[in-house]
Structure formats: C-alpha cells, structure tokens
Amino acid sequence: MSSHSHAAKATFPTESGEGLTAKADLTVLDRINRVVERCLEVFTVGLLLSLTVIVLAAVALRTFGGSLPWYDEVASINLAWLSFYGACLAALKRSHMGFPGLITKAPIALRSTLFITSELIVIGFFAVVGWFGYQVLDVLAWDSLIALPAIGLDVTQSVIPISAALFILCELLSLPHAWRKMCAGVNSEEEEIAEAIRLAEEDLKEHRS
C-alpha cells in the first residue's frame, strides 16, 4: 500500500437525486474522530458494566439480609456519569434528537444559517456550563460523600466541566462531516431508515438461504 493514500470519498444524494461526491481531505480529523469515539465507547460501556455489577450486588446482598452502605450514592453518581459521557458520544455521532427532515427541506441559505446558529447555541451553552461547573468545584472541594468520606464531591462533580469540554470537542470533530451532509441536503433520519431496511433485507436473505 502506498504511503501517500488518496483522500477518501463519500457520496451523498442531492435534492435533485444526483450524487454529490465530497472529498474527505481531513484524514487526520477522521483518525481523531475514531480514537475519541472508541475511547468514549470503552469508557461508557465500562460505566454501564460497573453500574450493572453494583446494582446486581446490592440486590443479591439485600436478598440475604445484607446491604452496601455506599450503594445509593455511588449508583446515582455512576448513572449521572453515564448520562453525561454518553451524551458526548451521541454528539460525536450526531445522534441527538433534532429536526433534520425539516431543515433539509429548507433552501440552502436558510439551511446554512440554521446550522451555524444551532452550532453556536450548543457550543455556547456547554461553554457556559463547563465554566460554571469548573468554578463550583472549588466550593465542593470542602465536602465529600457521606458513605465514602475519602471521595470528595469535587471528584464526583468534575464530570460537569469535563463532559462539557468533551461535548464541545465532539461537536467540533463531527462538524465538517455534518456540514457536508447539510449542504448536500442529506436527511440523517432517512439514512438510518435506509440502513435499517438494508440490514433487514440482508437478514431475510440469510434466513431464506
């Protein structure tokens, strides 16, 4: 394989039905995307598994008359962390709820304006959340968990500024691809439906064979 690889190409359907080929010239950005996505997937799956183990252990102990004194605090914090970091992963994949069908039907000028405005609002919001979340850590540093005094609240609540910064990073990393899809008039919901239909047809063919 040649060390000077050609830029990858992604084909998006346009509103007129013709194909639009966009060169993915940001190969370094694509690699960073994959690394961040994989790290977030591993971390969120780890949080989910740890939460599952904690809940099952607490249920088993209560069945035999025992208990975990730190269960309520740790489980709730674990769930909060899972929600925050899972939201970052969804931002990287552009999987949050939206109105793609409505936007793709708008003229390109309005589409671009709505896209830029929404990105500025989202990034601005999480910048504010991250800044004030960081400021609060100094106050929470004097307090700790009730069941686990060795763990300070600044550690548990650090998820707010960290996840806010990660969310902004994920938005910026996925921005070029989302921009190209928006310009091409690609509806992400229609893409997901088409992919689901394709997978269902493949499963049906395998079942019949």
Side-chain angles (χ1 to χ4, degrees):
M1 178 182 243
S2 173
S3 59
H4 299 284
S5 59
H6 295 287
K9 294 184 179 180
T11 301
F12 302 120
T14 60
E15 294 174 343
S16 60
E18 300 177 354
L20 175 65
T21 302
K23 288 187 177 181
D25 53 350
L26 299 176
T27 55
V28 176
L29 185 61
D30 293 335
R31 292 174 184 174
I32 296 175
N33 253 313
R34 293 178 183 178
V35 171
V36 174
E37 181 178 349
R38 183 57 58 86
C39 290
L40 283 173
E41 286 177 345
V42 171
F43 189 65
T44 52
V45 169
L47 288 174
L48 181 60
L49 291 177
S50 64
L51 179 60
T52 303
V53 171
I54 291 173
V55 172
L56 291 177
V59 171
L61 285 174
R62 288 183 180 179
T63 302
F64 296 101
S67 65
L68 292 174
W70 44 264
Y71 164 74
D72 292 333
E73 282 187 304
V74 173
S76 60
I77 292 170
N78 197 323
L79 181 59
W81 281 37
L82 180 61
S83 300
F84 277 97
Y85 290 112
C88 296
L89 181 59
L92 185 63
K93 295 184 176 184
R94 295 280 167 164
S95 300
H96 282 288
M97 293 182 64
F99 304 94
L102 181 63
I103 294 177
T104 53
K105 294 182 183 299
I108 182 63
L110 179 59
R111 232 188 294 162
S112 302
T113 302
L114 291 174
F115 182 88
I116 295 173
T117 302
S118 63
E119 291 297 316
L120 291 176
I121 291 174
V122 170
I123 293 175
F125 173 78
F126 279 96
V128 173
V129 170
W131 171 253
F132 284 102
Y134 177 75
Q135 296 297 316
V136 170
L137 294 183
D138 291 335
V139 179
L140 297 177
W142 300 95
D143 206 350
S144 61
L145 297 181
I146 297 175
L148 296 172
I151 301 178
L153 288 183
D154 56 335
V155 176
T156 62
Q157 301 305 314
S158 63
V159 65
I160 298 177
I162 294 176
S163 64
L166 273 176
F167 199 102
I168 294 174
L169 176 63
C170 292
E171 280 287 309
L172 295 176
L173 288 175
S174 60
L175 185 60
H177 183 64
W179 174 263
R180 291 195 296 267
K181 290 177 64 175
M182 183 277 301
C183 292
V186 177
N187 188 338
S188 58
E189 290 181 349
E190 292 179 356
E191 275 190 324
E192 293 175 0
I193 293 173
E195 179 66 14
I197 293 174
R198 186 186 65 81
L199 293 175
E201 290 176 346
E202 290 181 356
D203 290 341
L204 182 60
K205 289 179 181 179
E206 292 179 0
H207 179 71
R208 287 178 176 177
S209 61

